[in-house]
Amino acid sequence: MIELAADAAIRTRALPIGITEGDTAELIPQLDELTELLANLDIEVLEPLAVRNRENHSRFKVGTGKAEEIARIAQECEADLLVFDEPLTPSQQRNWERLSQCKVIDREEVILEIFASRAQTREAVLQVELARAKYMLPRLTGAWSHLSRQRGGGATTRGKGEAQIETDRRLLRDQVRQLEEELSRVRRSRDTQRKARLRRPVAQGAIVGYTNVGKSSLLAALSGADVMAKDQLFATLDPLARQVALPEHLEAVLTDTVGFIRKLPHTLVEAFKSTLEESVIADFLLLVLDASSRDVDLEWETTIGVLRELGADEKKIVIVFNKCDKIPAEEKIFLTARLRGLFPDALFVSAATGEGLEQLRRKIALIVAGKRCRLTAELPAQRSDLVAFAYQTGQVEKCEYDDDGKCFLVFCIEAKHRHLYAEYLV
């Protein structure tokens, strides 16, 4: 994985590199994002390099002449680390390191490092370790090539390098298997907690969106609960559920989820699949976008693409533009009008200032009301089972008995159970 400079006073200098077959201007937002990712690792980031490449080459991804030019630029700017925005194969990574005499990584390894630095709970730590182990497995070849050169191997004997690689592969495969088993146990425990939550007749919502759009801040503002919210990429790796009070005595449980990002590594999608499934089991989604971002269109496409991959794009989705307070005053009218044109039903809020939060609560309440209903019933003494059912699966606001044992009941319950009380409704 990424090795930072041994001397803390000397920061690693990274050269971000983007490769495209089209216009290099298209790489600007991607390289800006890669720069931000690297900055989150406390790495000094040099001016990004956008490379136009007419065809894909197996050795360096670019032609040999272009590769030598990039290596020369890296030496001139004294880069210690080359970071490619596109995924590199293990052989391409080794070829670049031989040519440039620099450490070479790709975007996937950068994201893995950030996830590793953010993981807090046992499940998140296991998920990141599993993704890193799977990433490293095909990259062991060459790690011990210096040993192979010490003594050659014949038909029945192998050099020290080959033997060491096989040993490391076996150890890494064993590690992957152990991590998968432990992660399975942790997930079973969380699934039990999730099922207990779903048994309550409370609407379940998931807050989804691009990384660092303010999902955790929005959850904290809506719930009034203490939620960790930081202005950094992937601050939240574990789903966090909080109860939110809504108008008309309604309530919902909202779950914060891990942020999405362009080119999210497949190993991480697989590792965090159970975490991302919170959006699949939810009754509705709050899809949060950063109103102040210049890449809001791409962030929308990325988010809806991940939801489509998870099979959650057909759910009820409320589009929420957060960080409205960060839009420059001179641009606010034009930018808001443009976004309203693209998303007519979207809500504009600010978790920091509270702007638009009451409107968002009312919107959620309308969704919840469609799932739950508030009933007033007069139940005869012999239907104490329905009183018990209301307490067990619903939310009772008022319960009074007269001298004959008749129960006057005001309560909220899931709409699908309304028929049980139909003949007793007032």
Side-chain angles (χ1 to χ4, degrees), residues 133-192:
K134 288 183 175 180
Y135 177 83
M136 287 301 298
L137 193 56
R139 287 167 169 77
L140 288 178
T141 304
W144 299 96
S145 57
H146 61 290
L147 293 178
S148 298
R149 289 192 295 268
Q150 292 179 10
R151 179 173 61 88
T156 57
T157 61
R158 287 168 295 188
K160 294 179 182 179
E162 288 83 351
Q164 186 63 55
I165 289 172
E166 289 193 3
T167 300
D168 286 353
R169 280 178 177 159
R170 185 179 69 253
L171 292 173
L172 204 51
R173 289 193 190 101
D174 290 343
Q175 183 186 2
V176 167
R177 186 176 64 255
Q178 291 169 5
L179 287 170
E180 288 175 337
E181 291 173 355
E182 188 172 354
L183 190 55
S184 178
R185 289 193 294 270
V186 174
R187 284 174 175 169
R188 281 197 296 270
S189 175
R190 188 164 63 81
D191 286 343
T192 301

Side-chain angles (χ1 to χ4, degrees), residues 358-372:
E358 282 308 311
Q359 185 182 2
L360 177 56
R361 284 193 177 93
R362 290 195 295 272
K363 180 74 171 180
I364 298 173
L366 286 174
I367 298 172
V368 172
K371 176 180 172 59
R372 302 179 68 209

